[in-house]
Amino acid sequence: MIPKTPIKAILSDAGDLLFFGGGYTKAFFYDFVKNKSGENGTNLPSQEEIYRSYKKYRNRSFTEKNYSYADACRETLQELGMEQHTEEYLALNKPSDIRTTGQINETLQRIRALGLDFYIASDADKNEADYWRMVDYLGIKGVQGIVSSKDAGFMKPAPEFFDFALRKYDLKKEEAAFLAHDYDELKGAYDYGFPMVLACSYDPTDDLSFIPEDRKVGEFKDVSGLLAKLL
């Protein structure tokens, strides 16, 4: 019997898993637009319309080299007739608002003790160098590498993103586990063929029946214990 190729590394989502806050969410944007519409007495588009507009420009900031988060916010607000509020909105998105999840460094240390490398695999408007600066600012230790959609040119769960991540760190698909909370990313990683897909901080209303129950945890601090049982 041919032995299984051992898992060597974890590719992990970061936002809402390793850290929270900062305002970089469509819900945060919607609340801002809603409040400003109320102040100005202007008609508020539907939530669906605002989300669609936000996502269109926000996704560009994740993949286009010279297109920033500020550009995305400005164009979205311009499309909604609220461009004059751009600087005010951007001022609300401060790194100081971001907080790390509980026991993050202890958990990363325990993952390393299992002989696993830990790589952040993130949809982000930051390139790798800027992302490292944020990780250092947050005091996160034990990350061996970062893959950003800004550098990859594709967002998860595109197979091209996963291809880029594996090539970058000289990994075979069979050697990596994927950790995330979002249904689309988890399903995409499963369809891509990662041998181990782990759900953490996931929405319990999502149908994650394709992931065995023993591969689901509520919080990041529980991930190392889960891995210890699976490996």
Side-chain angles (χ1 to χ4, degrees):
M1 182 177 179
I2 300 175
K4 294 181 180 179
T5 303
I7 298 295
K8 295 181 178 180
I10 307 297
L11 297 178
S12 176
D13 189 20
D16 294 329
L17 204 67
L18 305 184
F19 51 79
F20 303 88
Y24 297 96
T25 68
K26 61 184 181 182
F28 184 92
F29 182 81
Y30 174 76
D31 286 342
F32 178 83
V33 170
K34 182 179 179 180
N35 290 336
K36 289 302 170 186
S37 295
E39 290 176 11
N40 301 337
T42 55
N43 292 328
L44 179 70
S46 70
Q47 186 178 60
E48 182 180 350
E49 289 178 277
I50 293 173
Y51 280 1
R52 188 185 306 117
S53 181
Y54 178 83
K55 186 175 181 180
K56 176 174 65 175
Y57 294 108
R58 185 75 168 106
N59 286 0
R60 281 185 62 190
S61 74
F62 286 147
T63 56
E64 293 187 22
K65 298 293 184 184
N66 298 313
Y67 189 83
S68 69
Y69 176 70
D71 294 330
C73 293
R74 185 170 292 106
E75 290 204 54
T76 310
L77 288 167
Q78 183 178 40
E79 187 170 284
L80 296 171
M82 303 177 71
E83 185 181 9
Q84 70 272 24
H85 299 299
T86 300
E87 297 308 317
E88 180 182 355
Y89 176 74
L90 291 173
L92 297 175
N93 289 269
K94 297 176 289 188
S96 59
D97 293 334
I98 302 175
R99 66 188 190 281
T100 55
T101 190
Q103 301 181 33
I104 183 170
N105 287 333
E106 295 89 338
T107 303
L108 288 170
Q109 186 176 23
R110 289 192 290 267
I111 291 172
R112 287 291 290 154
L114 293 171
L116 300 172
D117 290 328
F118 188 92
Y119 301 112
I120 289 175
S122 180
D123 289 331
D125 51 39
K126 300 174 178 60
N127 60 24
E128 181 184 352
D130 288 338
Y131 212 118
W132 272 118
R133 280 189 277 273
M134 183 181 74
V135 167
D136 290 341
Y137 171 85
L138 293 172
I140 298 174
K141 309 294 183 183
V143 174
Q144 279 68 60
I146 294 172
V147 181
S148 169
S149 60
K150 191 78 166 182
D151 296 323
F154 295 93
M155 292 174 63
K156 295 172 293 180
E160 292 87 349
F161 179 95
F162 295 133
D163 289 342
F164 180 90
L166 294 173
R167 284 197 308 271
K168 182 178 176 69
Y169 292 109
D170 193 26
L171 289 167
K172 298 176 182 177
K173 182 190 306 185
E174 297 78 13
E175 296 172 332
F178 181 75
L179 172 67
H181 69 94
D182 179 75
Y183 170 84
D184 289 341
E185 294 184 8
L186 292 166
K187 187 62 166 63
Y190 175 82
D191 291 341
Y192 183 77
F194 283 109
M196 188 181 294
V197 177
L198 308 173
C200 175
S201 303
Y202 55 94
D203 185 339
T205 65
D206 286 340
D207 179 9
L208 299 181
S209 55
F210 56 92
I211 301 177
E213 289 301 314
D214 65 354
R215 298 187 181 188
K216 301 173 184 176
V217 289
E219 299 180 58
F220 183 71
K221 65 182 179 62
D222 301 319
V223 170
S224 56
L226 175 65
L227 289 167
K229 295 176 182 178
L230 293 174
L231 298 178

